[in-house]
Amino acid sequence: MTATQIKTKLQPLADRVVLEPIDDASQTAGGIFIPDTVTKERPQRAKVVAIGPGRKLENGQLEAMTVKVGDVVLFAKYGGTDVKLDGVELKIISEKDILAIIEA
């Protein structure tokens, strides 16, 4: 399923973001295996596949979203809600729970 298909089927509301997690290798470049207990507690990487329109402010205006579709971001392991759509593992998370955007 492509990002466009996901966005068509799952449109987040307000300041929510739909992420497709990126599996981090559990082996270093030197060939050392890292146990799951170490890798699973670190912030996770994901690709943004859909974003909501933004958070509504008290004056009724929408606050613009910082992230955009296609960004690769870091988020806390236990943040957001896990969903499965057409066999694809996704995470719906509030934009405020995204820790950083990873620049290429």
Side-chain angles (χ1 to χ4, degrees):
M1 178 177 291
T2 66
T4 305
Q5 291 170 322
I6 291 170
K7 184 170 174 46
T8 303
K9 290 186 172 197
L10 189 63
Q11 179 59 47
L13 302 175
D15 67 338
R16 301 290 193 287
V17 180
V18 178
L19 303 175
E20 184 174 12
I22 298 171
D23 286 333
D24 285 328
S26 59
Q27 185 176 8
T28 66
I32 299 171
F33 284 95
I34 302 169
D36 284 345
T37 55
V38 174
T39 59
K40 298 302 180 192
E41 297 303 319
R42 294 188 316 202
Q44 305 293 301
R45 292 185 325 137
K47 181 177 179 182
V48 176
V49 295
I51 61 172
R55 183 174 64 95
K56 188 173 272 193
L57 302 173
E58 288 184 22
N59 65 6
Q61 293 182 339
L62 285 180
E63 180 179 38
M65 298 289 280
T66 305
V67 297
K68 62 186 179 308
V69 172
D71 282 348
V72 175
V73 298
L74 282 179
F75 64 95
K77 168 68 177 159
Y78 298 107
T81 302
D82 295 320
V83 295
K84 193 170 191 174
L85 182 64
D86 293 339
V88 178
E89 297 286 336
L90 301 169
K91 184 172 282 284
I92 301 174
I93 192 167
S94 178
E95 186 183 37
K96 68 181 167 96
D97 294 328
I98 293 175
L99 306 173
I101 298 172
I102 301 172
E103 305 261 337

